Amino acid sequence: MKNSNSFTKGLSPSQRIEIDACTQCGECLDCCPVQQVTKNPDISPPEKIRMFREFITATDSLKAKFLGSKEIDRKLLDDFCRAVFECTTCGACGQNCTVGIHTQRLWPMLRKEMVRRGLGPIGPQKDMPEAIQKTGNPYNKPAHERYSPWFPDGVQVAEKASVAYYAGCTGAYEAQPMVKGDVLVLHAIGEPFTMLPPEDEVCCGFPLFITGQHDMLEDLVNRLVEAYRARDVKTLVCSCPCCVNIMVRDWPLYYGRELPFRIRHITQVVAGAFASGRLKIERELRERIIYHDPCYLSRGVGIIEEPRDVLKNIPGIELLEFDHNRLDSRCCGAGGAARKVYHENATAMGRLTIDEAVRKKADKLILSCPACYAKVHEAMQDHDTKIPIVDIMELIACLLGKG
Amino acid sequence: MGLVLSLGFYAAFLFFVAGYLARMLSWARDAPPQAVPERNISLYVCLSALVDILLLRRLLRVNDVLWLGEWTFHASLVILFLSHLKYILDPVPAIIASMEIPARVAAWLLPASLLFIGVIKLVIEKKPYISSYNFMLLGLMMVSCVSGLVMKYSFPADLADIKHFTMGLVTFHAGISPGSLTFLFHFFIFLVILMSLPTHIFAAPLTMIEARQRDDELPYLMHEK
């Protein structure tokens, strides 16, 4: 018999097992960025799982089946809701989990359960569905301004092409030098590419997915996939790690079948262009640069070496690494749609990134995520440590003489 | 007394089995459609996952000092569990009978590793998150270990009586309970532990297999094989 009160309704069998698998060892706290800045174990990964287990025991256990579900303490629900929404969903806890729980996928599903119960999302996250419905983006900005403020002159976009570029909402509205750099570098490669008209390039669905608001996802995904299919697209290129993540991992589910094109992160395309000789940087840059791995790009979809390959094509540079790099990368604070809700946490995390880059005597901090780009820039305001922050494609475009 | 102990054992065992069966059934009930289709697990993944499980490799990667204590604890527990099977098997298989010496070592290593884990977590690393449930369980284990050692070295119980009683339990012929108070205490603590066993003992190995599969697939998620 179906239990509508069940807390595990939206979880996959693997995720249900994961909830039971947590040993509560607490080792993940050492790498949790939220713990680093809040020092609050009440919102830590094992505590979230402990609380969620209490909900399951109250509603789904053998005892609950025979004696009826127990009323769940409202405070416990509120505490859990806060903990799960304060998380940046960066997945560092899962990467360091002693039993291998895939937390980067688990936390969004627990958020979805809170949304189903009317307890989430939190703050401005609630306005996202309406904004996306109205404007196509979660920032409630006019659709016709999606490209116009930053789209470079002289770059032609094909009506139809086998390669398409998806700018993404955060890049288009909050990290414009980044998307401008993307387009300039794609143009420099010389292969024709297409883009959807600004009104048609709607949200990829990630902000809704990550905040547990899944109702519109099927519609958004179908609109986008069909629009690209109509343009004969075979490769969809995107620079935003969050967009790429949902495209690769979840679009096939919402589309109902395999996508008619492959998804590529822009660094894959550009690294390929360098390797094949279609791109070459002549200009030397005698600088020490440090690259930050976005959580949803490295841990999320395994794009780790390509950004480094791209940067190594710059003559004269010295590439530095953060202490936590590649799969062990530390969140810059922008993850999980928490940056505009738990602003202080996000700023503190962003400053940890800046401080480490400065401590390592880097001349530039290189990012490859629009959310990181917006947040780390914001975190540097009123901060005593400063460093030039540059997106990877912004830098490449500049060195190609296109910026 | 024998009947009471036997009923206690059956109740605790039933509680343990029913609880776990219910949990396992709930894992698969009304599952929503998944983005990632069902995958075949390769032999490489199986073997790697087996090593992950047997060596607690994921823990080793994040905390090698704690790993030493945890691995010793888990290995000692398995050895003691296997050697205790001699009380419910007749005849005793040679492999179980041959575990006498490893079991004697494990009987000391188990409490030592528990102490080590406690000191690492509470004193040396001063962990900000301590699970009270885990510590209660470790405390029960410690009490069980100490009572076992006391029974072995200070107040020996009649092993023939114990075997008679435990064989009665598994053959559903409740026998007379052994007279040793230390045994009764040791047995009682065992029942409490049986009812308090954490859900991760069955779930964590499954999650570790899944994690190994995921690690294996990640490089190919956006790259051609």
Side-chain angles (χ1 to χ4, degrees), chain A residues 27-273:
Chain A
E27 288 299 311
C28 52
L29 271 77
D30 294 341
C31 62
C32 171
V34 179
Q35 287 301 308
Q36 277 181 313
V37 300
T38 63
K39 311 271 182 230
N40 180 6
D42 291 345
I43 54 170
S44 65
E47 185 59 9
K48 279 184 277 192
I49 288 188
R50 190 199 63 76
M51 287 191 271
F52 202 77
R53 279 180 183 167
E54 277 201 37
F55 305 153
I56 295 174
T57 306
T59 55
D60 288 274
S61 65
L62 209 54
K63 194 173 149 197
K65 278 185 182 54
F66 285 115
L67 304 175
S69 297
K70 219 169 73 182
E71 184 78 20
I72 296 169
D73 179 22
R74 175 66 200 214
K75 188 182 171 300
L76 190 67
L77 275 169
D78 288 341
D79 287 348
F80 174 79
C81 200
R82 187 192 157 198
V84 83
F85 277 95
E86 193 162 349
C87 170
T88 66
T89 69
C90 72
C93 48
Q95 188 63 33
N96 289 278
C97 176
T98 56
V99 296
I101 299 173
H102 197 191
T103 54
Q104 201 176 57
R105 300 289 295 175
L106 180 63
W107 304 137
M109 300 316 285
L110 301 190
R111 285 178 169 191
K112 184 185 173 193
E113 181 57 28
M114 292 298 103
V115 171
R116 189 175 78 86
R117 289 169 185 273
L119 299 165
I122 292 182
Q125 294 170 351
K126 287 179 192 157
D127 305 328
M128 285 177 179
E130 198 188 333
I132 292 171
Q133 190 77 52
K134 221 165 67 187
T135 62
N137 68 80
Y139 301 105
N140 209 18
K141 299 273 176 69
H144 66 270
E145 289 177 11
R146 193 174 179 94
Y147 303 150
S148 53
W150 55 268
F151 201 86
D153 295 334
V155 174
Q156 297 298 317
V157 172
E159 185 59 34
K160 284 187 173 185
S162 66
V163 175
Y165 171 69
Y166 177 87
C169 309
T170 308
Y173 295 109
E174 302 227 320
Q176 294 172 348
M178 172 179 176
V179 279
K180 185 180 175 186
D182 293 346
V183 169
L184 286 168
V185 175
L186 284 177
H187 179 64
I189 292 172
E191 195 177 337
F193 66 95
T194 184
M195 286 176 75
L196 297 181
E199 291 78 11
D200 291 347
E201 201 201 82
V202 290
C203 171
C204 65
F206 185 84
L208 296 175
F209 177 84
I210 206 71
T211 54
Q213 306 174 92
H214 293 205
D215 291 348
M216 288 168 65
L217 290 177
E218 198 175 323
D219 175 52
L220 288 172
V221 171
N222 276 287
R223 275 166 68 186
L224 286 165
V225 175
E226 288 305 325
Y228 286 116
R229 200 165 68 90
R231 286 172 182 254
D232 299 335
V233 170
K234 295 287 170 246
T235 304
L236 180 58
V237 180
C238 179
S239 61
C240 172
C242 301
C243 302
V244 167
N245 197 287
I246 194 169
M247 286 169 180
V248 172
R249 289 191 175 274
D250 301 284
W251 273 20
L253 171 71
Y254 293 106
Y255 187 56
R257 55 197 176 279
E258 200 181 333
L259 300 180
F261 44 78
R262 59 181 194 165
I263 309 294
R264 285 293 175 266
H265 186 252
I266 192 149
T267 56
Q268 291 182 283
V269 176
V270 177

Side-chain angles (χ1 to χ4, degrees), chain A residues 11-13 16 20-21 23-25 27 30 47 60 65 95 98-100 102 249 263-264 268 306, chain B residues 23 26-27 29 32 34-35 58 61-63 66 121 127 129 134 199-200 207-208 214 222-224:
Chain A
L11 301 183
S12 69
R16 293 171 190 186
D20 281 342
T23 63
Q24 307 279 293
C25 67
E27 288 299 311
D30 294 341
E47 185 59 9
D60 288 274
K65 278 185 182 54
Q95 188 63 33
T98 56
V99 296
H102 197 191
R249 289 191 175 274
I263 309 294
R264 285 293 175 266
Q268 291 182 283
E306 287 89 342
Chain B
R23 295 296 318 128
S26 76
W27 292 343
R29 200 189 51 221
Q34 291 307 297
R58 288 181 182 272
R61 210 170 59 189
V62 296
N63 190 335
L66 186 64
K121 283 190 177 248
K127 291 286 183 194
Y129 186 85
N134 279 358
T199 51
H200 77 247
T207 300
M208 284 156 101
R214 200 168 56 243
M222 291 193 68
H223 302 89
E224 274 86 24

Side-chain angles (χ1 to χ4, degrees), chain A residues 254-323:
Chain A
Y254 293 106
Y255 187 56
R257 55 197 176 279
E258 200 181 333
L259 300 180
F261 44 78
R262 59 181 194 165
I263 309 294
R264 285 293 175 266
H265 186 252
I266 192 149
T267 56
Q268 291 182 283
V269 176
V270 177
F274 276 121
S276 65
R278 279 176 296 158
L279 272 187
K280 187 170 169 58
I281 297 173
E282 304 286 356
R283 207 172 125 192
E284 206 174 63
L285 183 70
R286 292 224 162 265
E287 284 188 354
R288 290 158 61 88
I289 60 174
I290 191 161
Y291 171 72
H292 173 262
D293 289 276
C295 317
Y296 272 84
L297 194 62
S298 56
R299 277 192 288 276
V301 292
I303 299 291
I304 295 165
E305 294 309 322
E306 287 89 342
R308 291 171 172 81
D309 292 342
V310 168
L311 292 170
K312 283 173 191 164
N313 275 283
I314 304 172
I317 65 129
E318 185 185 341
L319 183 59
L320 308 176
E321 294 286 356
F322 281 97
D323 292 341

